[in-house]
Amino acid sequence: MILGCIADDFTGATDLANTLTRRGMHTVQTIGIPKGGAPEADAVVVALKSRTIPAAEAVAQSLAACRWLKANGARQIFFKYCSTFDSTDEGNIGPVADALLDELQSGFTIACPAFPENGRTIYMGHLFVGGDLLSDSTMRNHPLTPMRDSNLVRVLGRQTKHRVGLVPYRAVRLGAPAIAEAYAKLEAEGVRHAIVDALEDRDLENIGAASSALPLITGGSGVAIGLPDSYRLARLIRRREGAAALTKAGGPGVVLSGSCSAATLAQVERFAAKHPAMAIDPAALAADPEKTVSDLLRWAAEKLKTGPALIYASAPPEKVSAIQAQFGREKAGEMIEHAIARLAGGLASAGVRRFVIAGGETSGAVVSALGVEALEIGPQIAPGVPACLSYGTPRYALALKSGNFGGPDFFGEALEALK
Ligand code: ADP
């Protein structure tokens, strides 16, 4: 293993595994820390569900993953979080990055969530989502991590007691040596975390090359695009093609959506216009979870006889706010995730092997409920979302989609790709 990755949610892990695979690194994603030895691979991505848990727990889980990756030969550690820097003032990006730096006996790392292919760019430390500042994007209404400040130096500054600095675009555009020089200067000034500006893939390639000596890199999947080439140049890995087609899973396909992100809402609407679709009613769920889940399973069993079906909790911001006001933000999230996980388990027992899941937290809950331990990464369905096939028996074909990823027809495209 050359690169050991720790991802703070499941779709983020898949996104990173997809990037590394497409750039020719043999990558396996594990769900949590594997019980046995490390899989044979150039890179292993340990998927945690640590984005929104209490910071101390996120730190403990990330450290355990880091120790396991190092014990299995990882030369470099990558801490992966969302390209919209999903976090709160309590964490978990700052506390986890600080703990990993201490663990690796290092005093400097970068923080670069840029992902130009999906419209996430950073300029002067400000994160943009498409043409909008992060704070003006739909992320300001995220159910768990509302992002209302686009200045990442400030955002990360509230999550760590150490100094946060910036590698501005005027250095990044000059290429890898200038970026490495900027790192050295910031580190000498006592900066421990450097936000790095990036506007396009070429910038990320240069940042990757400049970062090859850092014990720890933190960022979105985008900043990983420069790593495979630098490992090849150092003769650490062989050249290989991108992802191979996966073994077919067959059988009926289901879409389960717990994401309330704008892109998902559009995908739900598009898919529901042409396929059977059923909303999960949070009030009914709170009143009688058993009955709600078994009613939905019965509905799905009937619909799946003739084709794919969608079950969703996804709702627009005003509905989400009302549910959160009634049950509390975390309780509402947990209740819905738990229900979707139980639906996935019930559907799997009924023979469903193809699942498209929308939502990072939601994907984590589903994959755990299916007892999946590791994923083989297949061809890309949409930027940041590959087709995956679980190891073990039975094998599930999975598309795990982070909230804002994918075009309006993503659900249909994903079901087709998983056939
Ligand atoms: P994303 O990838 O879009 O961030 P996640 O699955 O990570 O999606 O997070 C969405 C959260 O919102 C989950 O905890 C989910 O259970 C919760 N949620 C889903 N539907 C609703 C709803 N109608 N009301 C309140 N919370 C909801």
Side-chain angles (χ1 to χ4, degrees):
M1 190 197 313
I2 305 298
L3 182 64
C5 310
I6 304 158
D8 72 351
D9 88 339
F10 288 55
T11 51
T14 322
D15 173 10
L16 175 60
N18 178 51
T19 300
L20 293 169
T21 303
R22 290 180 78 213
R23 296 268 167 167
M25 257 183 122
H26 179 217
T27 307
V28 173
Q29 175 178 339
T30 67
I31 309 303
I33 302 169
K35 288 178 200 79
E40 271 299 313
D42 301 327
V44 175
V45 183
V46 176
L48 301 178
K49 197 171 177 307
S50 56
R51 183 171 294 168
T52 56
I53 63 178
E57 277 173 45
V59 164
Q61 290 185 20
S62 306
L63 283 177
C66 178
R67 286 174 192 141
W68 181 87
L69 288 163
K70 290 299 280 183
N72 283 285
R75 287 169 178 251
Q76 191 165 35
I77 297 293
F78 190 117
F79 170 37
K80 157 76 174 72
Y81 39 79
C82 190
S83 59
T84 41
F85 215 71
D86 301 17
S87 53
T88 66
D89 288 353
E90 283 68 53
N92 291 337
I93 296 174
V96 170
D98 276 330
L100 292 174
L101 280 173
D102 289 342
E103 175 69 20
L104 298 168
Q105 297 179 344
S106 172
F108 179 81
T109 187
I110 59 165
C112 182
F115 191 176
E117 201 180 358
N118 268 339
R120 275 63 156 169
T121 55
I122 308 170
Y123 186 67
M124 292 296 175
H126 288 264
L127 181 57
F128 289 82
V129 177
D132 292 321
L133 283 168
L134 174 67
S135 49
D136 292 330
S137 78
T138 51
M139 278 305 295
R140 65 176 291 106
N141 295 320
H142 189 276
L144 305 174
T145 50
M147 299 301 292
R148 297 190 172 161
D149 185 358
S150 63
N151 182 331
L152 298 186
V153 175
R154 245 177 359 220
V155 174
L156 189 54
R158 289 193 290 267
Q159 298 180 28
T160 172
K161 60 180 191 311
H162 298 281
R163 275 188 73 186
V164 181
L166 172 69
V167 180
Y169 195 64
R170 65 176 177 275
V172 172
R173 64 188 282 271
L174 297 178
I179 299 168
E181 210 173 290
Y183 291 175
K185 191 157 170 280
L186 287 172
E187 190 175 1
E189 289 167 2
V191 166
R192 190 165 152 105
H193 304 269
I195 305 293
V196 189
D197 280 353
L199 302 183
E200 48 187 290
D201 281 0
R202 197 189 47 177
D203 302 329
L204 293 172
E205 281 160 13
N206 289 331
I207 294 166
S211 308
S212 57
L214 295 178
L216 174 70
I217 297 176
T218 89
S221 68
V223 74
I225 68 178
L227 299 178
D229 269 348
S230 62
Y231 297 141
R232 260 190 296 272
L233 272 176
R235 298 189 176 279
L236 292 171
I237 57 170
R238 280 182 297 121
R239 180 162 294 284
R240 57 159 73 226
E241 294 304 314
L246 299 172
T247 312
K248 306 245 172 275
V254 167
V255 184
L256 298 175
S257 178
S259 157
C260 300
S261 300
T264 306
L265 295 178
Q267 290 155 356
V268 166
E269 194 181 329
R270 183 69 68 95
F271 192 82
K274 293 210 177 123
H275 302 88
M278 182 62 87
I280 300 173
D281 175 0
L285 190 61
D288 193 344
E290 294 296 326
K291 181 174 179 318
T292 308
V293 168
S294 59
D295 285 353
L296 285 165
L297 283 174
R298 208 166 321 110
W299 174 85
E302 194 52 42
K303 298 297 174 195
L304 289 173
K305 286 178 189 159
T306 50
L310 160 71
I311 300 178
Y312 63 99
S314 315
E318 58 285 3
K319 279 199 183 167
V320 172
S321 301
I323 298 297
Q324 289 183 335
Q326 196 177 346
F327 300 103
R329 180 198 285 188
E330 274 174 33
K331 270 268 165 308
E334 261 170 39
M335 173 177 82
I336 291 166
E337 284 169 39
H338 188 66
I340 294 181
R342 288 194 52 202
L343 287 169
L347 290 162
S349 302
V352 175
R353 296 291 176 262
R354 287 190 293 139
F355 289 92
V356 177
I357 314 296
E361 298 291 333
T362 308
S363 293
V366 167
V367 164
S368 303
L370 295 179
V372 169
E373 287 183 2
L375 295 172
E376 186 182 345
I377 307 298
Q380 172 169 295
I381 304 168
V385 197
C388 302
L389 189 66
S390 64
Y391 287 96
T393 16
R395 301 199 77 176
Y396 298 105
L398 298 161
L400 307 177
K401 187 196 82 87
S402 165
N404 271 319
F405 285 4
D409 289 316
F410 177 82
F411 291 163
E413 290 160 6
L415 284 168
E416 197 55 37
L418 298 182
K419 251 187 184 157

